[in-house]
Amino acid sequence: MTVPVAPHENRAGLRWTLTDAWTLTRRNLAHWSRNPAVLLTSLAFNVLIVLMFGFLFGGAMVVPGGGGYREFLMPGMFAMTMVFGISMTTTAVATDLERGVTDRFRSMPMAPAAALIGRAVADLLFAVVTLVTMMLLGLAIGWRATGSPGAALGAAGLILWLRFALVWVGIYLGLVLRGQEAVAGVQILEFPLGFLSGAFVAPATMPAWLGAVAEWNPLSSTVQATRELFGNPGWGGESWIAGHAPLMAVVWPLALVAVFLPLAVRQYRSLSD
């Protein structure tokens, strides 16, 4: 069924786009405040992973070049939580689409990009809360950032930059997939992307071909770059990608945004076709 879409000419300016986007951002935040179970479950899962690897498996882990495993682990977990946020974005977008909320948004005199921007901003704000929570947890179990305050802020910026890029991946998947397909599809994406990386162990400890795949995982570049900025132990590596981790921590998310943001916008505009 074709959904009638109201004309947007009078809402197409930057001012109206930002106003409408902020309205929908507040709508998403209000939903979370009224139903915090999803957010609390997400945070609890991340805490559980830290405790499992930090205390249960950490004693068997050897950090290349020396250093404590928990200091090695935490930058990887900071970035890993950004990856696991894809499912939250996808599920929220798919749910709005399935319940007809997205169609109602499209039929209102609203800036066309507002719904997508509102979702992206709300999810990025939650990513900030998640990152702060994980840093406090890290401090509680012995992790420390030994670099300068400016370097630590730069590391946090790279982590949130990765999350911003993955938000658009999640939005696109939520618009393309339906119902349980969205959840299953994202889970298939999240776990290989998260665990087949340098977040938990050094790629050098893997078989050569698998280590190469892990090094070229976009998550690994962010993890390696943030370890350097935080002053934490890293896994080194002699490959080109390992030696240019800070550069690729900027380039990989930029490439994801360049691909998935236009795809998400085009998919959103074609929903009524």
Side-chain angles (χ1 to χ4, degrees), residues 164-177:
F164 178 76
L166 295 177
V167 163
W168 291 103
V169 177
I171 290 174
Y172 175 70
L173 293 177
L175 293 172
V176 171
L177 303 176

Side-chain angles (χ1 to χ4, degrees), residues 38-90:
V38 175
L39 306 186
L40 293 177
T41 300
S42 174
L43 290 174
F45 175 77
N46 295 328
V47 170
L48 179 62
I49 293 294
V50 170
L51 296 179
M52 285 178 55
F53 278 87
F55 292 94
L56 186 59
F57 304 133
M61 301 292 187
V62 177
V63 179
Y69 179 69
R70 292 173 199 167
E71 290 194 338
F72 176 87
L73 171 68
M74 289 312 300
M77 276 306 308
F78 299 153
M80 179 76 77
T81 58
M82 304 298 110
V83 173
F84 286 143
I86 300 176
S87 59
M88 184 180 70
T89 301
T90 302

Side-chain angles (χ1 to χ4, degrees), residues 109-234:
M110 178 189 300
L116 301 185
I117 296 174
R119 169 54 56 191
V121 172
D123 285 6
L124 196 59
L125 289 175
F126 178 65
V128 173
V129 174
T130 301
L131 181 58
V132 171
T133 302
M134 295 300 293
M135 286 184 169
L136 292 175
L137 174 63
L139 292 172
I141 66 171
W143 168 79
R144 296 293 183 270
T146 60
S148 67
L153 287 175
L158 288 178
I159 293 167
L160 294 174
W161 174 228
L162 175 66
R163 176 65 179 124
F164 178 76
L166 295 177
V167 163
W168 291 103
V169 177
I171 290 174
Y172 175 70
L173 293 177
L175 293 172
V176 171
L177 303 176
R178 295 292 184 274
Q180 291 302 313
E181 292 181 4
V183 178
V186 171
Q187 289 176 342
I188 291 172
L189 170 68
E190 281 180 338
F191 281 90
L193 180 62
F195 286 95
L196 186 54
S197 68
F200 296 107
V201 297
T205 64
M206 306 175 187
W209 67 271
L210 195 61
V213 173
E215 286 187 348
W216 282 90
N217 183 335
L219 176 63
S220 295
S221 294
T222 297
V223 171
Q224 178 68 0
T226 54
R227 282 180 178 138
E228 293 177 11
L229 292 171
F230 282 132
N232 296 148

